[in-house]
Amino acid sequence: MMADKVPAMINFTASKQAMEAMTEKAGINCILTSKLFLKKANLEKLPEMVFLEDIAREIPKSRRLLAILAAIVLPHQELMNIVAPESHRDVFRTAVLLFSSGSTGSPKGVLLSHHNINSNVYSFLRIVGWNRKDRLVGNLPLFHSFGMLACFWVPLLGQCQVVYLPNPLDGAAI
């Protein structure tokens, strides 16, 4: 989202047919994932998949340190001008593509702008009376609209700690 790209969150629990429909509708040509995730979710490898652990291995340590230094030293607006020159000031640009579950047929894509997300997060923070000392359990998947809001954007923009659980069905861990 912060690199002039629009991520499309794919519901990995959907049927293969629904996943193919989502991929086709969104024009997805690259799926970022993890080999460990595919193994745990018992999913097959697809040609469009790029594995995060492979990418991480290819990034030299010097480049990682330079990115950390830039994030610490540069003013926010200048950093975003470097990272996302096309979109960092356009709040009405599409931030994410979420898909419905497809319970009434083929999954439908829902485009959310940066403005949509920011409005929802700040409304949530005000209504709940959120502060930086609050903590959050991130147990909803990011392909779910409330999971994206409450488990990703609220902790990020609300500047609080979050603990992510890999399985939202694991009641004992939650």
Side-chain angles (χ1 to χ4, degrees):
M1 285 185 221
M2 295 180 186
D4 290 333
K5 304 291 182 202
V6 177
M9 304 306 186
I10 301 294
N11 180 348
F12 65 90
T13 65
S15 69
K16 184 177 181 179
Q17 183 180 11
M19 287 178 68
E20 288 172 355
M22 288 183 247
T23 303
E24 185 178 329
K25 280 183 182 182
I28 295 172
N29 57 16
C30 175
I31 299 172
L32 294 176
T33 189
S34 164
K35 293 174 186 173
L36 180 62
F37 172 74
L38 288 183
K39 184 178 177 182
K40 284 187 174 189
N42 197 25
L43 296 171
E44 64 184 67
K45 181 180 174 184
L46 300 174
E48 303 90 7
M49 290 181 176
V50 175
F51 298 103
L52 295 171
E53 53 267 48
D54 294 344
I55 294 172
R57 262 194 304 274
E58 295 175 10
I59 301 172
K61 192 173 186 176
S62 59
R63 186 150 182 200
R64 292 179 198 197
L65 292 173
L66 184 62
I68 291 169
L69 182 64
I72 293 170
V73 174
L74 291 176
H76 167 76
Q77 288 299 326
E78 188 56 36
L79 180 63
M80 291 310 296
N81 192 36
I82 293 167
V83 174
E86 294 176 30
S87 65
H88 79 283
R89 294 185 188 271
D90 185 0
V91 296
F92 296 105
R93 186 179 173 109
T94 301
V96 66
L97 170 61
L98 297 176
F99 283 94
S100 67
S101 63
S103 56
T104 60
S106 181
K108 292 148 190 77
V110 179
L111 299 170
L112 296 177
S113 71
H114 293 277
H115 180 71
N116 294 137
I117 292 170
N118 284 324
S119 297
N120 289 339
V121 169
Y122 289 115
S123 293
F124 177 93
L125 295 175
R126 279 192 310 271
I127 290 169
V128 172
W130 199 264
N131 70 61
R132 291 182 185 178
K133 293 179 183 177
D134 289 332
R135 306 291 182 259
L136 189 69
V137 175
N139 65 332
L140 295 173
L142 298 182
F143 62 75
H144 186 278
S145 61
F146 193 70
M148 173 65 74
L149 173 73
C151 299
F152 183 75
W153 284 110
V154 166
L156 185 66
L157 297 176
Q159 301 177 359
C160 74
Q161 292 181 1
V162 61
V163 176
Y164 288 105
L165 299 176
N167 184 354
L169 304 176
D170 187 354
I174 293 169

